[in-house]
């Protein structure tokens, strides 16, 4: 692995052929003429939720995140109450 310094962060350069099994390596390589989205879909990833969220403004996304976090916290609180 080679480390390249860039201001305050760094990027690790990894030879993917050393880390991925051959059946997954073909989805990582970019010489197949596919876009990242096409490759993700070919791998079986459903991008519809990502696309839906990207249509929202940042403040709408934060609002959705806050609502989901509130739900998780209330479920966790309910589970803790049930154990008591």
């Amino acid at each position: 692995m080679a480390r390249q310094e860039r201001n305050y962060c760094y990027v690790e350069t990894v030879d993917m052929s050393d880390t991925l099994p051959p059946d997954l390596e073909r989805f990582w390589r970019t010489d197949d003429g596919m876009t990242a989205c096409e490759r993700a879909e070919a791998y079986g990833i459903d991008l519809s939720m990502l696309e839906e969220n990207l249509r929202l403004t940042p403040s709408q996304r934060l609002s959705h995140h806050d609502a989901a976090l509130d739900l998780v916290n209330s479920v966790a609180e309910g589970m803790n109450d049930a154990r008591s």
Side-chain angles (χ1 to χ4, degrees), residues 2-84:
R3 182 175 278 187
Q4 299 171 343
E5 297 293 333
R6 291 192 181 170
N7 295 336
Y8 60 90
C9 64
Y10 65 89
V11 176
E12 295 284 344
T13 305
V14 179
D15 181 3
M16 297 311 289
S17 63
D18 292 340
T19 58
L20 288 176
D23 59 325
L24 293 180
E25 184 179 349
R26 66 188 177 100
F27 290 105
W28 180 257
R29 301 282 180 208
T30 57
D31 57 354
D32 58 3
M34 297 173 75
T35 65
C37 290
E38 290 169 340
R39 192 174 301 104
E41 288 174 344
Y43 189 67
I45 297 172
D46 180 7
L47 298 174
S48 63
M49 291 180 69
L50 175 63
E51 292 168 348
E52 183 179 321
N53 280 321
L54 290 175
R55 287 187 189 102
L56 302 174
T57 65
S59 61
Q60 289 171 320
R61 286 187 289 228
L62 287 172
S63 178
H64 286 211
H65 175 268
D66 287 343
L69 187 58
D70 289 343
L71 176 64
V72 168
N73 287 333
S74 64
V75 168
E77 186 178 309
M79 289 179 71
N80 286 337
D81 290 346
R83 289 185 197 145
S84 301

